[in-house]
Amino acid sequence: MPQVLIEPITDSILTEFATFLHTNLDQSRSSSEWKSELNVNWQPDQPNYGFVLKDNSRIVGGIGAFYKDRIIHGKIEKLCNITSWCVLDTHRQHSMRLAMAVINQPGYSFTDFSPTKNVGATLQFLNFIPLDERQAVIPNFPWFSFNNVTVIHQVDNIKQSLKDAALQIYEDHSTFPWLNHVLVGKPNNWCHVIYKKSIFKGLPASSIIYLSNKELFDQNFSQLSSHLFFKGYMSTHVECRFIKHPPRLSAIRSGFNQKLYLSNTLGKEDIDYLYSEFMALNIK
């Protein structure tokens, strides 16, 4: 019987892996969509797109990966976000080998933001740490603007208002149609907010997946809330770990699948969703 092998996903087999995910994980995404979303090229020298299991040259499982070198606390941190872990039932006994192939890559911090309960349990067995999954749910209301605080959502104005690393973050995430970007604050003192449209209790809601400054978000949330209200979003949802204090009138939801990370150098407060599956794959 041929040995089941583990191989890195390279350009030459990315199309085959994308077809495998379409067939076995999520058929609502076409093979070409899977390939395009996994091939975002955030890190030009990335080592692979993840790893696959092969049995007699046929893909029977795999894990996708996004890589990005980022400056955190003044140091270069190498991040690997794993995604789309799928193994055929006939080869489940090799799942742990597949995970180890990913996390044995030296020098990286690892995250998984959409694990199933079974995958999450496996990752915690491998010493991954759960993040606070609680969310604050805040009703949006119209408010008057105070202290010249403004909200910017036009593309050209956002580009003109951001500089250097902040501008690069915007440009790296601006091509995904499911992401919405706004700046709230004042000139040279902006909080960059990225959110997705969701539905809560049958009504449109904004789900915030990135904010660049907790203090500015807290100070200026009423203006952001008003902007979102007039855009048709009845509530705003933001993870408690992203904010200093839940706004007044907010309610806390919990019970979501836990998001996980593994790192020798980063703490929970350093983990966000930039350059991850949450941005690239339109995960709800």
Side-chain angles (χ1 to χ4, degrees):
M1 180 177 179
Q3 184 180 5
V4 178
L5 302 176
I6 295 177
E7 297 181 8
I9 302 171
T10 60
D11 288 318
S12 63
I13 62 171
L14 182 58
T15 299
E16 185 182 357
F17 180 55
T19 300
F20 173 83
L21 292 177
H22 165 71
T23 303
N24 298 285
L25 184 60
D26 184 354
Q27 295 187 3
S28 69
R29 287 190 179 97
S30 68
S31 297
S32 60
E33 287 173 329
W34 272 113
K35 180 179 180 180
S36 175
E37 292 171 0
L38 289 170
N39 186 21
V40 294
N41 199 34
W42 281 319
Q43 188 68 31
D45 59 347
Q46 68 183 46
N48 51 64
Y49 300 99
F51 290 82
V52 291
L53 285 170
K54 280 194 170 183
D55 189 347
N56 197 25
S57 300
R58 179 176 67 97
I59 292 180
V60 294
I63 301 179
F66 297 107
Y67 296 89
K68 181 62 178 177
D69 292 355
R70 297 178 60 186
I71 304 296
I72 301 176
H73 301 309
K75 296 172 54 180
I76 296 176
E77 296 285 351
K78 300 169 70 67
L79 300 178
C80 173
N81 170 241
I82 62 179
T83 182
S84 310
W85 186 352
C86 180
V87 179
L88 298 183
D89 289 340
T90 53
H91 292 75
R92 285 288 170 85
Q93 69 270 28
H94 298 285
S95 294
M96 189 67 76
R97 290 179 56 212
L98 189 60
M100 295 304 296
V102 178
I103 67 174
N104 280 340
Q105 297 178 103
Y108 285 95
S109 295
F110 301 92
T111 58
D112 188 341
F113 298 137
S114 61
T116 64
K117 288 186 177 180
N118 287 338
V119 168
T122 299
L123 293 177
Q124 289 188 64
F125 177 78
L126 296 174
N127 296 320
F128 275 67
I129 299 171
L131 299 168
D132 185 356
E133 42 74 39
R134 296 174 303 141
Q135 291 185 6
V137 180
I138 313 143
N140 290 328
F141 294 105
W143 298 88
F144 293 108
S145 179
F146 297 100
N147 300 322
N148 296 318
V149 172
T150 59
V151 177
I152 294 176
H153 64 94
Q154 300 90 346
V155 171
D156 288 344
N157 290 341
I158 291 176
K159 289 183 176 180
Q160 292 170 4
S161 301
L162 297 177
K163 298 178 181 179
D164 304 324
L167 178 59
Q168 189 64 56
I169 286 172
Y170 169 75
E171 291 182 336
D172 286 343
H173 296 85
S174 64
T175 59
F176 302 108
W178 45 83
L179 300 182
N180 300 283
H181 299 257
V182 297
L183 305 181
V184 58
K186 301 178 183 179
N188 300 315
N189 199 25
W190 298 109
C191 177
H192 179 193
V193 177
I194 303 176
Y195 68 93
K196 294 181 179 180
K197 181 179 180 179
S198 58
I199 300 294
F200 180 66
K201 295 186 180 294
L203 297 173
S206 60
S207 294
I208 293 176
I209 56 175
Y210 171 73
L211 55 91
S212 63
N213 188 299
K214 291 182 180 182
E215 288 78 9
L216 287 177
F217 181 86
D218 285 354
Q219 293 168 14
N220 302 319
F221 178 75
S222 60
Q223 282 70 38
L224 176 62
S225 175
S226 181
H227 169 82
L228 294 171
F229 175 84
F230 286 113
K231 285 287 184 179
Y233 298 98
M234 296 298 100
S235 61
T236 292
H237 302 239
V238 58
E239 292 184 15
C240 293
R241 67 190 188 90
F242 286 159
I243 55 180
K244 292 182 72 68
H245 307 288
R248 289 180 299 172
L249 304 180
S250 63
I252 305 300
R253 297 178 69 202
S254 61
F256 302 95
N257 280 2
Q258 289 182 314
K259 303 170 179 69
L260 303 159
Y261 84 103
L262 176 68
S263 177
N264 293 323
T265 56
L266 300 177
K268 294 181 179 181
E269 69 281 359
D270 301 317
I271 305 299
D272 59 34
Y273 299 138
L274 293 177
Y275 303 99
S276 77
E277 57 184 339
F278 249 44
M279 302 293 181
L281 298 183
N282 194 21
I283 293 173
K284 301 297 185 181

